[in-house]
Amino acid sequence: MRGINNSLIEAAIIDGASFWKVYSKIVFPLTMPAIATISIFNFLGAWNNIIFPLLFINDDKLKPITLGLLNFNGERGSEYGLLMAAIAITVLIPLVIYMLFQEK
């Protein structure tokens, strides 16, 4: 937000806009692409986190979906049909969020 030209903010203040009006009509729309990018990266970092829940969460009801994918691997083999269905469901949510924010 520091990179926004001060002349835009000063011009809005001279025109009689309040602080909140300047923020909502000028500053926030100009910073929306950066906010969307940071939101996508933070979401994907939290979504793909396996180590933290694996170490600290013992209750199966509290474990995230990505950690639940590890349960599809058995001792003698894997159920590949179930594994692929679970992966498709797991990938669907970040894909939808990415598509919602891609225009920003």
Side-chain angles (χ1 to χ4, degrees):
M1 291 186 183
R2 290 182 187 165
I4 295 175
N5 196 353
N6 286 336
S7 63
L8 292 172
I9 297 170
E10 290 172 358
I13 292 172
I14 289 172
D15 287 341
S18 66
F19 172 77
W20 297 109
K21 187 98 171 180
V22 169
Y23 183 76
S24 66
K25 297 291 183 183
I26 296 172
V27 176
F28 188 69
L30 289 174
T31 59
M32 194 61 191
I35 292 171
T37 303
I38 291 170
S39 299
I40 289 170
F41 283 134
N42 282 336
F43 172 76
L44 288 176
W47 184 260
N48 292 329
N49 192 2
I50 291 180
I51 299 296
F52 185 78
L54 187 63
L55 293 175
F56 296 113
I57 298 176
N58 294 327
D59 189 11
D60 288 336
K61 294 179 183 178
L62 300 176
K63 289 183 180 178
I65 294 172
T66 53
L67 192 57
L69 289 175
L70 294 175
N71 293 334
F72 284 100
N73 291 330
E75 292 178 9
R76 298 183 186 158
S78 297
E79 293 286 336
Y80 289 113
L82 294 174
L83 182 62
M84 291 302 151
I87 289 172
I89 292 170
T90 304
V91 168
L92 187 65
I93 295 169
L95 186 65
V96 168
I97 289 175
Y98 175 76
M99 287 185 172
L100 289 175
F101 283 113
Q102 79 177 355
E103 293 178 6
K104 306 295 185 214

